[in-house]
Amino acid sequence: MATYKVRVATGTDFLSGTLDCISLTIVGTQGESHKQRLNHFGRDFATGAVDDYTVQCQQDLGDLIIIHLYKERSSFFRKDPWYCNYVQIFAPNGCIYHFPAYQWMDGYETLALREATGRTTADDSLPILLQHRQEEIRAKQDFYHWRVFVPGLPNYVHIPSYHPPVRRCRNPNRPEWNGYIPGFPILINVKATKFLNLNLRFSFLKTASFFLRLGPMSLALKIRGLLDCKRSWKRLKDIRNIFPATKTVISEYVADHWMEDTFFGYQYLNGINPNVIRRCKCIPDKFPVTDDMVAPFLGEGTCLQAELEKGNIYLADYRILEGIPTVELNGQKQHHCAPICLLYLDPQGNMMPIAIQLSQTPGPDCPIFLPSDCEWDWLQAKTWVRYAEFYCHEAIAHLLETHLIGEAFCLAMLRNLPMCHPLYKLLIPHTRFTVQINSIGRALLLNEGGLSARAMSLGLKGFAEVMVRALSELTYDSLCVPLDFMERGVQDVPGYYFRDDSLAVWDAMERYVTEIITYYYRSDAAVEGDPELQCWVQEIFKECLLGRQSSGFPTCLRTVPELIRYVTTIMYTCSAKHAGVNSGQLEFTSWMPNFPPSMRRPPMEAKGLSTLQTFLDTLPDVKTTCIVLLVLWTLSREPDDKRPLGHFPDIHFVEDAPRRSMETFRCRLNQISHDIRQRNKCLPIPYNYLDPVLIENSISI
């Protein structure tokens, strides 16, 4: 007779417990236990509970490899979902076996869990283990399907049209809510998330806080009459009052300094879209800036050509926006342009704008605006550039290059890597809640009643077109942080805190990934010979990059260094990169003239005609401003149920070596955080968006 002690941990989120019956069988290398119900004849499997049981077997089962959890109907209740964290089994010989679950059991079903040791296909020799990993992948591929979102964009998870009936209760993970928020003129299509598998949904806390934040704030704006006001702003200072209770040091600095050229240039380095500028080696023909035009802004004893040769001239070119038609908002036609901005890195280390053209095609009706022009001409030209920044940030840097690509990485992982695979264990923390937030994001931003249709000059089709164009140009190298800075020629620009912090976090992440991967992959042959890994890579290339060879994304990986770079790129994209473009949204956009989503008058075709009134009449009206800021406020709030980078409470790795690597990773991140905070003490504008303490493991907001 062999006695096994069994410990079962239920999730801590609200309503994670169940009243259904849970039974267990244990499979070892020398036999299998009988099916035994886990029952103390009391309240088992309550939310947050860790319950201990005893399983008696006729013989020693050998090394434990698989357990089966059976969720069956209680005689008194209809089915009740259960979230299982893990099962631990204490064997008679003193060995402790860990079986990670971290998933819901929704219906009456059986869940087979493997012992937690990370293994690739080559590490498994027992037929039962090989069969288990094949069946797990087959089941996930049968459940999770790829679906076309917009032709030309990464595909995304198909939401099943059928979901087994569930008991009606106040479970916020299955809200019976039609999506209407009082006072908010956007209907959130909750049907987009209603049929998501429970394992892809927000926790109760995150679900409740997300919608409870949005509702009261939208209602407050409605009561104040701001969501119904279609007129121009009467005074610029009134914009400060949209969110009077959410002011920060940075948002106040933006509102006070937005007109200054130094701050305009600063945002290219440390704003919310700091990946645009590149070193200019020669002035493009389509931007006929002459030395006479810009000489007054370069100082004495130098000229444009000399500064080009020194590497002090930079370019921000928004050609990707050219030719996209606009829509009407609130009965008024909107306008659009694709500007070009020339910047000069002055001897004091300031990035200064020195010339702006509001079209990709020069001509007599497309003047080049200069800092020496009249105040309102120059300010309006800079505001057109900031308008272009809105689309390059929201459509490209934020939505496409983190959310949509991150979701594709996540789905490919779920479909191709079993839970026992080391890469699954390494990457699963960086996929948490991504599918859920993207489902909400598509409803908020990208449907006929969403933000893009109601508050952006380009409308739904135009906004999507920007992303389609960007994906067609996206390259593998551009997602590799060190290579991107080198390619853009900004590796030595002073005061580029985004770059410094990005490289520090990338380095810590790359070292962590290297330690994990070299522990499980001892040779290049092990990488090339891993069929699950190769299918994962191929599926990302096909479904995310749509099979475009010019992207440079690999279709297979042959060496350990290639795998390290690939995994680091994915991990960084799904965590730090998102933090860098998301966290500061409200602070840099709450002063709307710094980040306008629409423009109601066409770009200036002549100088000397701009005034304060024409500026106000060009900016978005009151209603449009409030809709955009309300959504950005919701999507940039401090996430509830947050897991900072490097904090992995779910136990997927159990071997000593990867556990040590995780702790070392956290120590490196803590040092980076300390260094950032010390540096920020000396800065007029602290840059903290890549402080590891503020970076979340995954894209969940």
Side-chain angles (χ1 to χ4, degrees), residues 41 62 90 121 187 204 244 268 320 332 393 408 495 583 633 640 653:
F41 301 100
F90 301 81
T121 305
L187 186 68
F204 168 80
Y268 279 109
I320 200 166
Q332 184 173 357
H393 170 265
S583 300
W633 176 83
D640 296 287
F653 286 114

Side-chain angles (χ1 to χ4, degrees), residues 151 183 197 242 362 440 505 550 619 660:
N197 178 270
I242 299 176
I440 293 174
V505 174
S550 61
L619 293 176
R660 286 195 300 268

